[in-house]
Amino acid sequence: MPIKIADDLPARAILEGEGVVVMREADAVRQDIRPLRIALLNLMPDKISTETQLARLLGATPLQVELTLVRISDHVSRNTSADHMASFYRPWSDVRDERFDGFIITGAPVETLPFEEVSYWDELRAILDWTQTHVHRSLSICWAAQAALHHFHGVGKHGLERKAFGLFRHHNHMPSSPWMRGFSDDFCVPVSRWSEVRRQDIPEGRGLQILAESDESGLCLIGDPGRGFLHMFNHLEYDTLTLAEEYARDGARQLPAYYFPDDDPAQTPRNHWRSHAHLLFGNWIDEMYQTVPFDLGRVGAAVLTAA
């Protein structure tokens, strides 16, 4: 089934060129089914690339998805045009009375700041609380995963002297989890961050599940069924060349580990994580679909615990 996005969103042409089925808005209203309503709070500087990466994965699932792009209400993006933001993004203050099947919060380039010094921290905390009453299932990525664990469970983050940067192998710790269905025993995940959450800081007795972890780069994926959250510290959504672009943007100062063939930046990287990216998002949407009430008005009445 297709994904429904705005007719003029730049991601549309890219995804259609890749063979992803994208539904026109006029066609979607004629479908006699209820699409899954998923909102994306995009905190990344390059919003167009991020929205394209995530729409690609959401659009590959067998269910119709209606994607709503959301921004922090009073924060002005410096890296994406005002026209793009005005045309395609809604401030959270405008959607806070609506309900969603799924909600995704991306990372943000604020990892070196204490949470409380981030300019939009108060609104993000309000959004996290709002997910408990207006959203069925949520997915947090990178810094947002650290922020959510801090907000809900008091878990701190630790700055790194050297950026965790590269393509690292991870272990599947819970293959029986609905979110890990079909995952290999170990798999590659792109990592790009200046901070981390450590295993010893995860509180016991809160129902938090360590799903995936790397010997070198640490925690990767944590399930929080009591809050309806899945926390991903890394970037399965990345395109093949995203780490290469970050490497060039940062002045080629730190070579991403295990990424370029023979550690040669002149060679084109190979994508070893695409299939697991589709698995994770497919599992997340499937679990959401299997447990969400058909009546959106009932979403958030109680957070249903994942099997």
Side-chain angles (χ1 to χ4, degrees):
M1 289 295 287
I3 182 171
K4 176 194 168 190
I5 57 179
D7 289 344
D8 298 326
L9 192 71
R12 170 177 289 274
I14 297 171
L15 298 181
E16 287 178 336
E18 297 174 357
V20 176
V21 180
V22 183
M23 176 172 282
R24 294 187 303 130
E25 293 175 288
D27 294 333
V29 298
R30 294 197 294 267
Q31 294 272 318
D32 191 23
I33 58 175
R34 182 176 85 74
L36 288 175
R37 296 197 70 212
I38 296 180
L40 168 62
L41 177 62
N42 191 351
L43 304 176
M44 292 293 281
D46 186 351
K47 299 197 184 307
I48 293 176
S49 293
T50 300
E51 67 203 26
T52 302
Q53 291 168 359
L54 292 169
R56 175 185 295 116
L57 295 167
L58 295 171
T61 58
L63 301 169
Q64 183 181 325
V65 173
E66 178 183 299
L67 183 62
T68 299
L69 300 177
V70 181
R71 63 174 175 83
I72 294 292
S73 301
D74 298 321
H75 183 73
V76 177
S77 175
R78 293 178 294 179
N79 300 88
T80 304
S81 73
D83 286 345
H84 183 85
M85 298 302 296
S87 297
F88 302 114
Y89 281 77
R90 299 173 62 190
W92 175 69
S93 56
D94 282 4
V95 305
R96 64 187 305 171
D97 292 331
E98 300 179 20
R99 283 177 164 78
F100 294 90
D101 301 288
F103 196 77
I104 301 172
I105 311 175
T106 73
V110 292
E111 292 175 282
T112 59
L113 294 175
F115 293 117
E116 293 75 15
E117 292 183 15
V118 175
S119 62
Y120 47 80
W121 178 243
D122 288 343
E123 180 164 347
L124 182 60
R125 292 182 65 204
I127 291 171
L128 291 169
D129 287 337
W130 167 85
T131 65
Q132 302 301 286
T133 55
H134 287 72
V135 176
H136 183 63
R137 290 287 183 261
S138 299
L139 170 64
S140 58
I141 299 173
C142 199
W143 177 81
Q146 298 176 355
L149 279 173
H150 179 69
H151 176 70
F152 288 129
H153 301 287
V155 177
K157 65 181 175 74
H158 301 268
L160 300 173
E161 293 184 4
R162 181 176 172 85
K163 186 179 182 180
F165 189 43
L167 186 62
F168 295 93
R169 299 205 71 83
H170 288 72
H171 306 294
N172 179 355
H173 286 325
M174 194 175 289
S176 62
S177 165
W179 292 304
M180 303 301 289
R181 189 178 297 115
F183 268 67
S184 304
D185 292 339
D186 62 89
F187 53 97
C188 294
V189 183
V191 178
S192 178
R193 49 183 164 76
W194 281 100
S195 58
E196 66 180 2
V197 168
R198 295 175 181 167
R199 171 183 270 269
Q200 59 265 34
D201 294 335
I202 302 301
E204 297 183 2
R206 297 267 189 147
L208 296 173
Q209 305 165 337
I210 297 176
L211 305 176
E213 186 177 20
S214 167
D215 293 337
E216 294 184 74
S217 59
L219 294 174
C220 173
L221 194 63
I222 289 182
D224 187 0
R227 295 286 182 176
F229 257 92
L230 184 62
H231 304 297
M232 162 58 78
F233 299 113
N234 303 319
H235 293 283
L236 273 174
E237 80 281 3
Y238 269 7
D239 292 329
T240 302
L241 297 179
T242 304
L243 290 179
E245 292 164 356
E246 292 187 13
Y247 171 67
R249 180 200 66 198
D250 295 341
R253 287 192 296 271
Q254 181 179 337
L255 191 72
Y258 315 115
Y259 174 64
F260 291 111
D262 301 322
D263 285 336
D264 180 2
Q267 296 193 46
T268 301
R270 292 188 174 185
N271 192 312
H272 298 284
W273 63 93
R274 183 184 295 113
S275 58
H276 285 94
H278 282 281
L279 267 177
L280 181 67
F281 277 78
N283 287 344
W284 182 66
I285 289 177
D286 182 61
E287 194 278 335
M288 180 195 311
Y289 176 75
Q290 296 294 333
T291 59
V292 72
F294 182 83
D295 180 2
L296 262 177
R298 294 180 54 214
V299 166
V303 177
L304 301 177
T305 301

